[in-house]
Amino acid sequence: MAGSLVLKGRRTALERAEKLLSEHCFPDCNLRGRLFGDTCPLVSLSCFQTPQRIPHDEAVRQEFRPTKVGDSFGPTWWTCWFKVELSIPREWAGKEVHLLWESDGEGMVWRDAQPVQGLTKEGEKTSYILTDGLKETEPHSLTVYVEVACNGLFGAGKGSLIAPPDPDKKFTLNKAELVVFNRDVHELLVDFEILVDMAKLLGEENQRSFQALYVANQMVNLLDVTDSCTFPAVRHLASSIFSQKNGESQHTIHAMGHCHIDSAWLWPYEESIRKCARSWVTVIRLMEKNPEFTFVCSQDGNLPSGESMVRQFLQGQRFFQQQFGKLCSEFWLPDTFGYSAQLPQLMRGCGIRWFLTQKLSWSLVNTFPHSTFFWEGIDGSQVLTHFPPGNSYALKGRVEEMMKTMNNNRDKGRVNHSAALFGFGDGGGGPTQKMLDRMKRMSDTDGLPRVQMSTPDRFFSMLEKEKTQLFTWIGELFLELHNGTYTTQTQVTMPGMGGEIRQWVETI
């Protein structure tokens, strides 16, 4: 009878589970609303502002003035340093405690004079873990500093993302407090999300879709959000889906944490340095908690000449040899506006035999016919090339994205491996713990592509085993978008954008 109810009431069953996860529907009584437990105000909060980007040691010697949540800071491109004095309640012993921090600017937490965590609301990083499980021997009172850049993840455009920056924009501190983080609620939320997405995205004709929905409905029936004693049994039900494995023929996705940073797009070059710091230190913290996690970062190569590109390869290969004792085998360039037919020759001459980008998926007219192929340059040099079928270098690890990566593979039957790059990009940010937790549940779940953490070397080595079946593309890789974006003349303008372009030039 329960099974037939699910089959006849598919929409109702889906809505039951979705409302448990909603941030907007009944957060006062659903599961999402239980993510954070008790809260505690800070002991004190003070700040000072500066137009300069100064080091930590200099910042902490400045005069800090009292401030509070709701205050605004700025203007654009300034920096606000916050001194955060806190005391964790003794009754929170054994609990995971976070500093919850939400502001309009990009933040960096400093603890014991070391950068430890990036904080960016747009990058879904709004809390810093003070302790995984508070021990009596741990200090309950401490002081941390939060360095906040008065700009967002994508700068401070006036009216739109790519508009020139608003020089007078203010940035508000919306939340700053201690909270108990309920890790068991977080895990349940991810379980429900994956099952609901399977039910919705696998389709009503798919048996696995109904299995996921049936289990999700059982979980709702068993769950009491006010009683954590019910949580283990509910999670056990979810594992009954996640523990059912794929067959050997299932498509394998090689997931790699990724963070693309434009050197100076909607922000000054100096801010890119801090974007790197915020992103990299967050990634290191994730690696400490997730030993299987791998990470790749990238920038742009839009304008170099052939000679300049060779020098870049030389410098990069020297760095790899000095730091890692090996040469790099891949050219990783996801966000450049097209690729010259000279590149395969330059790559091979510098010891590189693999190439990855996703930018050609942006073409407006013609869809590129392959995801994995050999790219042949003007002298006949070839490099094994991959375009991630998810058509993004900033995935979030969702079921929908993994399904797209599998289904959009344009070389089905010849290639059974694809790359998926996940993490906030362009303005930095990188992966989050939630992205990793999603993909752990998809590592080998029947009905979904097999998702495994990987590296560029490991991924391309798998592709090379399938290379005898691949097509060859000869000549340039032309992007049918972003035409006419470069000129040596600053007075060249587009209709209606002359003033904006000149303002950007003057700012730079």
Side-chain angles (χ1 to χ4, degrees):
M1 183 62 180
S4 64
L5 285 175
V6 172
L7 294 175
K8 291 180 179 178
R10 180 179 174 85
R11 182 179 64 83
T12 301
L14 275 172
E15 286 188 359
R16 290 186 75 208
E18 287 176 322
K19 283 184 169 57
L20 274 180
L21 314 180
S22 176
E23 296 179 5
H24 310 291
C25 296
F26 317 117
D28 58 327
C29 58
N30 68 5
L31 185 61
R32 175 78 61 184
R34 299 298 193 278
L35 187 59
F36 297 110
D38 293 338
T39 64
C40 176
L42 305 176
V43 173
S44 72
L45 182 65
S46 54
C47 73
F48 93 93
Q49 297 187 81
T50 171
Q52 308 297 324
R53 298 173 177 87
I54 62 176
H56 170 271
D57 291 348
E58 181 181 344
V60 297
R61 296 196 301 267
Q62 306 304 310
E63 181 181 354
F64 286 74
R65 300 180 182 277
T67 189
K68 64 184 184 302
V69 170
D71 287 350
S72 295
F73 310 90
T76 304
W77 309 133
W78 277 48
T79 299
C80 189
W81 284 83
F82 292 87
K83 184 177 181 180
V84 182
E85 297 178 80
L86 55 91
S87 181
I88 304 173
R90 293 282 175 181
E91 57 268 26
W92 288 7
K95 297 182 178 180
E96 182 174 335
V97 181
H98 290 201
L99 169 63
L100 194 60
W101 184 278
E102 292 185 15
S103 71
D104 298 330
E106 290 192 86
M108 169 79 91
V109 181
W110 292 79
R111 183 173 181 176
D112 300 328
Q114 296 296 317
V116 292
Q117 171 77 53
L119 291 171
T120 308
K121 182 169 62 176
E122 298 156 292
E124 297 181 4
K125 299 176 182 70
T126 56
S127 70
Y128 163 62
I129 303 175
L130 292 164
T131 174
D132 291 317
L134 184 64
K135 301 179 178 63
E136 282 294 330
T137 55
E138 286 186 275
H140 285 59
S141 298
L142 65 151
T143 298
V144 299
Y145 290 85
V146 182
E147 175 191 13
V148 176
C150 291
N151 54 264
L153 196 63
F154 295 99
K158 188 173 185 177
S160 72
L161 178 70
I162 62 173
D166 180 351
D168 301 315
K169 192 170 183 178
K170 296 291 185 178
F171 297 81
T172 302
L173 176 61
N174 300 305
K175 190 170 291 186
E177 62 185 2
L178 301 185
V179 297
V180 171
F181 184 79
N182 294 320
R183 181 65 59 179
D184 52 358
V185 172
H186 167 83
E187 299 292 350
L188 265 178
L189 287 169
V190 179
D191 286 344
F192 269 111
E193 178 193 307
I194 299 298
L195 291 172
V196 167
D197 283 351
M198 287 178 66
K200 292 164 64 176
L201 297 169
L202 291 178
E204 293 191 34
E205 302 81 14
N206 189 296
Q207 172 70 12
R208 194 66 170 151
S209 167
F210 279 95
Q211 290 173 351
L213 180 59
Y214 179 65
V215 168
N217 193 60
Q218 285 183 303
M219 290 166 63
V220 176
N221 291 340
L222 189 58
L223 178 66
D224 180 350
V225 298
T226 66
D227 184 2
S228 61
C229 292
T230 65
F231 294 179
V234 176
R235 294 215 62 206
H236 180 72
L237 277 174
S239 69
S240 69
I241 290 289
F242 301 139
S243 62
Q244 293 175 326
K245 307 300 183 186
N246 276 299
E248 292 184 8
S249 65
Q250 183 60 285
H251 190 80
T252 299
I253 293 175
H254 294 249
M256 289 167 261
H258 190 251
C259 182
H260 180 69
I261 296 183
D262 293 309
S263 296
W265 177 28
L266 302 172
W267 47 85
Y269 173 77
E270 290 77 12
E271 192 58 39
S272 295
I273 297 172
R274 295 203 297 190
K275 283 178 174 290
C276 288
R278 289 188 287 263
S279 303
W280 301 170
V281 74
T282 302
V283 164
I284 291 171
R285 191 167 179 85
L286 285 173
M287 286 181 166
E288 292 171 349
K289 294 181 175 295
N290 305 270
E292 76 287 355
F293 172 45
T294 58
F295 177 72
V296 182
C297 61
S298 59
Q299 289 183 307
D300 297 321
N302 282 329
L303 286 176
S305 66
E307 180 184 352
S308 173
M309 187 65 81
V310 169
R311 286 199 299 269
Q312 294 291 330
F313 279 133
L314 176 62
Q315 290 288 82
Q317 292 291 41
R318 279 180 176 170
F319 176 84
F320 262 73
Q321 188 67 57
Q322 292 168 358
Q323 298 295 321
F324 307 117
K326 60 180 290 188
L327 295 178
C328 184
S329 300
E330 57 278 336
F331 189 22
W332 193 275
L333 200 61
D335 191 31
T336 290
F337 306 166
Y339 303 91
S340 165
Q342 294 173 304
L343 278 174
Q345 180 181 2
L346 298 182
M347 282 187 260
R348 294 310 297 250
C350 297
I352 291 174
R353 62 185 191 273
W354 304 324
F355 177 62
L356 180 142
T357 184
Q358 67 84 45
K359 195 65 174 184
L360 263 69
S361 69
W362 289 34
S363 286
L364 292 176
V365 181
N366 297 292
T367 299
F368 196 83
H370 302 295
S371 300
T372 305
F373 58 98
F374 281 105
W375 180 22
E376 184 173 309
I378 55 179
D379 74 326
S381 297
Q382 291 188 344
V383 289
L384 179 58
T385 299
H386 182 70
F387 294 173
N391 293 346
S392 174
Y393 50 76
L395 301 176
K396 305 301 183 291
R398 297 183 180 277
V399 171
E400 181 179 13
E401 297 166 336
M402 299 303 111
M403 295 293 294
K404 179 179 180 180
T405 296
M406 176 178 67
N407 295 333
N408 204 38
N409 172 26
R410 301 193 181 281
D411 298 280
K412 296 181 181 74
R414 290 187 296 274
V415 176
N416 207 25
H417 295 263
S418 297
L421 315 183
F422 66 95
F424 288 92
D426 290 333
T432 67
Q433 183 63 54
K434 190 171 186 178
M435 296 176 192
L436 292 169
D437 291 339
R438 286 169 177 150
M439 289 183 290
K440 286 175 185 176
R441 288 157 173 81
M442 292 185 275
S443 61
D444 194 4
T445 295
D446 183 29
L448 298 176
R450 187 178 289 111
V451 181
Q452 62 184 38
M453 293 304 301
S454 190
T455 66
D457 282 5
R458 199 181 308 154
F459 169 62
F460 276 105
S461 294
M462 292 300 300
L463 290 186
E464 284 198 327
K465 296 178 181 178
E466 301 171 325
K467 66 182 181 182
T468 57
Q469 309 175 72
L470 299 180
F471 288 95
T472 299
W473 179 269
I474 302 174
E476 71 174 329
L477 295 172
F478 181 74
L479 176 66
E480 297 167 344
L481 187 70
H482 298 329
N483 307 121
T485 56
Y486 300 118
T487 176
T488 59
Q489 304 300 313
T490 60
Q491 295 306 309
V492 173
T493 63
M494 296 170 61
M497 291 196 64
E500 287 85 347
I501 290 177
R502 279 190 287 274
Q503 183 178 341
W504 270 112
V505 172
E506 290 165 3
T507 302
I508 294 170

